[in-house]
Each structure stands twice: as structure tokens, then as C-alpha cells.
Amino acid sequence: MIRVLILFSFVMLLARLQAQPTQTIRGSVVDLVSNIPVGFASVELLSQGKPVNVTADSAGNFVFVNIPVGRYNIQATGTGYEPSFIRDVVVSSAKETFVLIGLEQKVARLGEIVVRSRIKKDQLPLSTATVSARILSVEQAKRFAGGFDDPARLASSFAGVASNTEANGIIIRGNAPKFVQWKMEGVEIPTPNHFGDLKVFGGGTLTALSSQMLANSGFFTGAFPAEYNNAISGVFDISMRNGNNQKKENTFQAGIIGIDASSEGPFKKGGQSSYLFNYRYSTLALMAPLLPDNANSIKYQDLSFKLNFPTSKAGIFTVWGMALIDKAASKAVMDSLKWEYKKDRNEDDIKQYTLAVGASHFYFLKHNAYIKTTLAATGSKVDWNTQQLDSRLNLAPFSKIGNSNLNVVLSSFINKKFGSGFSNRTGITVTGMKYNLLLNNSIVPGSQPVEIVNAKGYSTLVSAYTSSSLALGSRFKVNIGVNGQLFTLNNHYTIEPRLGIRRQINETHSIGVAYGLHSRLEQLNFYLNNSLQTGQKAVNKNLDFTKAHHFVLSYDWKINEVVRLRIEPYFQQLFNVPVIPDSSFSFLNLQGDWFLAEKLENKGVGRNYGVDITFEKYLSKGYYYLLTASVFNAEYKGGDNLWRRTRYNRSYVFNALFGKEWQTGRSKQNILSLNARATYQGGSRYSPVNEALSNTAKDIIYDEKNAFGMQVAPSLNIHFTASYKINRKKTSREFALKILNLTNQSDFYGFKYNSRTNRIEKDLSSVIIPNLSYKIEF
């Protein structure tokens, strides 16, 4: 690690000083609700020097040329609209910068307070979001320590979110990671992580979403707007940006964990269509000395792309996609005298594939309305075979996971703006779900695997929603809607009302309140598993949706133009949770149990309550900070009807982020950035081990009557990011060092039995993930 730091420092000292290069800023000004261009808007580029003003054309497009590299603020104004202020627009020498500015129409009446322009850095991702929503900034994912260019790891910096280092399962307000929904271009997709769901449902090691591809996206943690279905704890609403349709631009990045190549540009000179793609291949073998055993067998690759085809009369067509391939293997220990744990006898071969590809059409209708339709295919396949050595050192089948899912999704909505204070969005989504599932497992070591699931078929999830936004003057806004879902496998349905109200008290203070009923399906294999006790097939086919009532209050204080405080108390009442009768088991605690073979019933309940606090200073005068605090409680009732704390009840999470930038070089054209993050959080909860039974069985047997009555010690995780960007004419180079888990904190996965020492030991995984990288843009 010392050598890495010395090399990084040496590279920065060798950077040559040159005259400050310039670049072009392009952008569009649109109506925030209808997306219709705002023609002839005034756009002002603000910096420490003299402001630069331009006027957008009739289509809302604007251009700033020969702008020196650096950070800028942009303000846009239009007749009949509130001013909009965009902070921290980054201009580099290699790539043109594109900015999309949304203007909100004025609704002020006589005698009311007219609110001044608001900084859009904290603007909610959608006009229908009232509380518990935040922009996922690509720039922050690159800059924030611990972000690692990963939306999920970036989100773990925010209030209400807990996580770990290895599996990266996102725990939102005490809920299991499996209750998080991922969407891309408006369509639900499988978890976009390499080796996703293998260790923790909803988790994964590294993201397959390249920061080269992403636009700013939405992240929701409670009381979601009506257009979001099939989610309980949170939603990642990911958007891809369009490629540059004016000039070709390329990026190449090589680092310890992977090699990336990205390119974008117009299909033909002078045209409006564009392409954008990114390919990445793993280089984790370079980190083998720092990773667990067999890590050098880990291989992954991913591809993302977006093609954009605007037309003059037929609307905008886009084709987009993401695919990833993962492979890993582990060898059994052939010397039986060295066997300590069960896994020492196991030989694993893992292959995993994930796909999401779609075509979208965006078309403007008359009278401030547009329609968007998407046809997509999403899928995932897990092929995990485990063999185990017997006493004669012969390998025999032990378990198999052979799950294949392919969804075909048709989604369409119409968005209509009826006036300055009223809009509606109504849509429908039909998801055809084709599945081929095979799971078997050896219940007793040495025995033949028993069939858990063996099913092929097709089902459908139909959802529809309508959501309206009503502004009552400039200070009062109401978002109201309803969402409905029907699952044809068992014909269960749900109707879910949503309501959000926000009042702007004055120029700096606002309050909000929101309610929503939310639901989520389980993985299909849990509906179709067999019961080992009764021998019944597809014993849980009639399972209903797991559901939750969300109640959220919100208080926002804009202390000044760059500092804000947000406080959000919340309460969630979960019900219809699958549980095992007369047991402490509940799906609220499910982590990674593929081989569940029990009959379930929707009689479990749970409750989560707490408060999230965010105190943030945006980047200005060369520095920023983000302080968050979350104090919460998460409890559940299993099949035995007793209240207990959940596995994911960490009780508290505190984050402190700080970053500083220095402009260097003769013309201040280069940027040195140092960023650090400290996270202090309560430990995971676990069930105590029944030591007597475990020693007799030579295996771990938990005391389920006292389920999750114990807690791991609190942990302090420190992450660090340093980068040095050298801007030259038409090219830029960046050297970066990003380190996750600098304090080498361990992730806890329960207990394991050591057959050599006849002792019960904690199952801990401790890993530091450093990534030293070099990136060139040209």
C-alpha cells in the first residue's frame, strides 16, 4: 500500500504545466413537467469572473464556447417561469459538457410569497416526489469516498442507508436488501451487480453500471410516488445519458479491478443521432494477495450502450442495454488432514448472466402532453454447481442452483400538463415472466441432493397507475395517486394509494408529509418450492404480496445557498410477510437462503421507525461536507407471534464525508482532489448458537427461539479517494486512488464449525479493496 501511495504522489509531481485549455458547454431548457422546450430562455454562466450570457434558440438549445476548464454554476430564466440554478457543472478539456435545465412554471398569486430561484442540486428527481428522494449524481459517485463509481455504494453515504463492504447489500430504514427495486430507463431490471444475489439477495460485489454511461438518476427511500410499484424499501431509478451528437469522444481507463473502454459520438457528421457504449473486463487477479482464497478465479465483464435517434416528426427513438457475465470457481482441499470447515471439502463452479435491453419511443402530443412507450427484455441466469469430497476423496454432487428468468416488459405512460399548477401521469406496465428453475441440495452431508424446486412456466405481472400533481399557489403542493398490481400466477392483486403534501413556509423553510401503501413479489423459486415435510409440490404458489404502509414527515431548512439541513422521521408498518408457522422465521430476515423447503403463510408483520438527519454543504470555495445520522428500530413477528428485532436492525448509522479540491497548474487548469468518509454503524444482529447441539452434530445449530437476540460490535469504516486530473488541449488524464474499507473492518455472516479443533467460530470476511487507476479522455 505504501508503494501505491508513493507512485500516486510521484505521478502528480510529474504533471506538466500548460496554458489553460477550453471546452464547449451545450444544453437544453425544457418545461420541468411537460418536457416541452422553453424557447428563447436566458442562460447565464456564473464563475468567479465576469458572467457570460446567451439566449437559447426557439427549440430551447444553447451553447457556450471557449469556456476555460473548471466548475461553474448556471442560471436559466424564462418568461412565466421560476429561475433555475444548477450548481457544480464540471467542464474538462477532453469532452463537451451537456446540461439539461428544467424550469418550473410560476403559479404565484397576489399577496403570496414569491420564492427565489432554488439550487437544483437537491431538486427531487420527479415533480411527483414529496419526501425521501434524492438525486444520484454521477459526479458525486466519482468524487465521494466510498462511492467507487457505484450508485449503491454512493447511496450508502445518505441518511437511512446501511451497508457492508463485500456483499454491498443496501439496507434502507432497517429493511432487507431484497426489498430494493432497480429500474433502468423506466423498466425494472435484475440487480445490476456482479455476483449479485449469490451471498445476499439484493447485493453484489461490484456494480455493472459504468459512470461513463449514467445520467443523474433518482433514489427513493420511502413513500414513493404512484408510478413506482413492486418495491418496499427503496428504488434506484437509473437513467442513461445520450452520447454527444456533435463530435466523437473516447475514454480508456485501466485499473486494478478492471479495464474500461468507452466511446460516443454522432452516427454521421451534422446528424442528430448518437451512440454511446462502455465495455469493461475484470483484472481482479492483480489483487489476489489482498483478497480471500480463490479470488484469482473471479472473472467478470459487462457491456452497456445507448443509441439515440431523434426525428423531426416521429418523436425520439432510443435503444439501450446492459449485459454482464460473471464466473468464479473454488477448489476443494484434497488433503483431508487439512479440513477445518465444511467449505474445505467443497468444489464450486459459478456462472452468472444478467441482461436488460430495450427500445423506447418518446413522442410529443398536442396541448402540453407526451407519451413514452418502452418494449424491453430483462433476464438473469444463475448456474452454481457444488460438489463435495467424500471420505475416499471422490467428488459427488452436493447442491445445484440452476435458475433462469426471462421477462418481456411493455410499459407506456402519458404525461399531461393541464396548466401552471396541475399535471397528471397515467401508465400501465405488463411484464411477462418466463422461468426455468432447478434447485437441489444435500440435506445431510454425503447424501444425494434432494429436489427443492423443479419448475418451468410463464406468468404475468400487470401494474397500472395514475399520479397527479397540484400546486395551490407558490407555497403549497399536493401529489396524489394510486397504483395497482395483479400477479396471474395466483391472481392476487393489490390497490395502493399514495399521497404527498409539501408546504413552503418561507424562502428557506419547508415541511412535507407523505403516505404510501407499497408491495413486492418474492423470487419466483419461493412460490414453486417443494415441502420436504409433506412432499407437496409448489407448496407456496398461493403466496400474496408482502406489503407495507409508509408514513414520512420532512423538514427542510436551506441555511444559505450552499448549506442545507433535512430531518425526516418515519414509520413503516409491514404485513402479509411470509413466515413459517410456529417458528421465529420471517422473510424480513431473509439473506441468501436459496434452498428454503418449507410451507409459508402470509401472517407475519413488522415495523420500522426512526429519524434520518442530513446536514450538507455543497462544493463551493473548493470544499464540501456531508454529515448524516440515522437512528432507527426494526422489529418483526414470525410464525410464533412474538416480537423480535430483525437481522437488519443496526439501530444507528452515522456518516461523515469531507472533500477538498485544489486547482493547480500555471492557469489553474488541473485539479487535485482528496476525499474521505467515515461510517460508524451498529452491527448486524444474529441468533445465538446452541453449543451443545452444535458440538454433537459437528455443525452449527442456532437457537431460533432467541432469534436475532445478539448483535455484532459496532464498526468504523473509513474510505478514501484521491485523484489528480490533468487538462490539456483536447485531452485529459486522471490518476486516481480509491480505497474501500481502509480500516479493514470485517463483514459478519454467522458462525462456522471447525472440525479440527471442535470449536465454534465466527464466519468473518475482511477485505480492503484498493483501485489505482489511470484514465485518458480524448
Side-chain angles (χ1 to χ4, degrees), residues 56-94:
D57 63 19
S58 60
N61 299 314
F62 65 89
V63 179
F64 292 99
V65 296
N66 296 323
I67 303 301
V69 298
R71 290 184 182 272
Y72 295 87
N73 300 327
I74 297 179
Q75 180 168 279
T77 57
T79 303
Y81 288 90
E82 299 286 353
S84 181
F85 191 82
I86 309 296
R87 177 173 290 279
D88 291 339
V89 176
V90 179
V91 177
S92 65
S93 59

Side-chain angles (χ1 to χ4, degrees), residues 183-423:
K183 302 188 79 171
M184 176 176 286
E185 296 294 305
V187 173
E188 182 173 3
I189 63 172
T191 305
N193 291 332
H194 289 287
F195 305 101
D197 293 338
L198 296 185
K199 206 163 190 176
V200 174
F201 294 142
T205 307
L206 296 168
T207 184
L209 301 172
S210 169
S211 60
Q212 306 294 337
M213 297 291 302
L214 300 182
N216 288 347
S217 305
F219 177 56
F220 303 82
T221 58
F224 325 126
E227 64 185 89
Y228 294 98
N229 70 299
N230 201 32
I232 284 183
S233 67
V235 178
F236 286 92
D237 193 357
I238 302 298
S239 299
M240 287 185 174
R241 68 181 180 89
N242 294 325
N244 191 334
N245 63 6
Q246 300 296 312
K247 58 179 292 190
K248 291 185 178 180
E249 298 172 336
N250 305 286
T251 301
F252 177 79
Q253 178 172 288
I256 293 178
I257 67 171
I259 297 174
D260 290 68
S262 177
S263 182
E264 62 183 291
F267 282 100
K268 65 177 182 178
K269 189 174 182 180
Q272 295 300 308
S273 300
S274 66
Y275 67 86
L276 171 66
F277 77 86
N278 186 88
Y279 173 75
R280 174 168 47 190
Y281 187 81
S282 67
T283 54
L284 277 177
L286 299 176
M287 292 175 56
L290 301 174
L291 297 176
D293 294 339
N294 298 305
N296 58 344
S297 69
I298 296 175
K299 297 179 181 180
Y300 67 83
Q301 54 186 317
D302 56 65
L303 172 70
S304 302
F305 68 90
K306 186 176 183 181
L307 313 178
N308 189 54
F309 304 98
T311 67
S312 58
K313 295 182 178 180
I316 302 172
F317 296 87
T318 60
V319 180
W320 51 270
M322 175 203 72
L324 62 90
I325 300 175
D326 301 325
K327 295 182 180 180
S330 66
K331 295 293 184 180
V333 178
M334 299 305 296
D335 186 350
S336 61
L337 297 178
K338 296 181 179 179
W339 290 350
E340 291 183 305
Y341 312 108
K342 287 195 302 182
K343 68 174 185 179
D344 294 335
R345 301 170 57 186
N346 291 351
E347 189 156 305
D348 293 288
D349 182 55
I350 302 172
K351 298 181 181 68
Q352 187 172 26
Y353 311 89
T354 301
L355 171 72
V357 61
S360 301
H361 179 229
F362 185 99
Y363 185 75
F364 283 109
L365 304 172
K366 294 181 179 180
H367 308 300
N368 290 326
Y370 67 88
I371 184 171
K372 183 178 180 181
T373 302
T374 299
L375 178 63
T378 69
S380 63
K381 182 178 180 180
V382 178
D383 188 7
W384 185 351
N385 292 284
T386 301
Q387 300 182 86
Q388 190 174 77
L389 290 173
D390 59 21
S391 58
R392 297 182 179 180
L393 301 182
N394 295 317
L395 285 170
F398 182 76
S399 67
K400 179 177 179 62
I401 300 173
N403 277 15
S404 178
N405 295 276
L406 177 63
N407 296 343
V408 177
V409 185
L410 177 62
S411 175
S412 185
F413 70 83
I414 184 169
N415 192 95
K416 168 70 174 175
K417 180 180 177 181
F418 293 92
S420 61
F422 179 52
S423 63

Side-chain angles (χ1 to χ4, degrees), residues 18 29 58 130 155 206 235 273 302 313 317 323 331 383 420 488 502 510 513 523 539 556 571 576 620 644 718:
Q18 291 191 352
V29 183
S58 60
T130 308
L206 296 168
V235 178
S273 300
D302 56 65
K313 295 182 178 180
F317 296 87
K331 295 293 184 180
D383 188 7
S420 61
T488 63
R502 176 161 290 276
S510 65
V513 59
Q523 292 181 187
V539 68
D556 275 276
F571 178 82
N576 268 25
S620 66
R644 297 179 175 88
I718 294 179

Side-chain angles (χ1 to χ4, degrees), residues 140 164 332:
Q140 287 179 341
N164 57 20

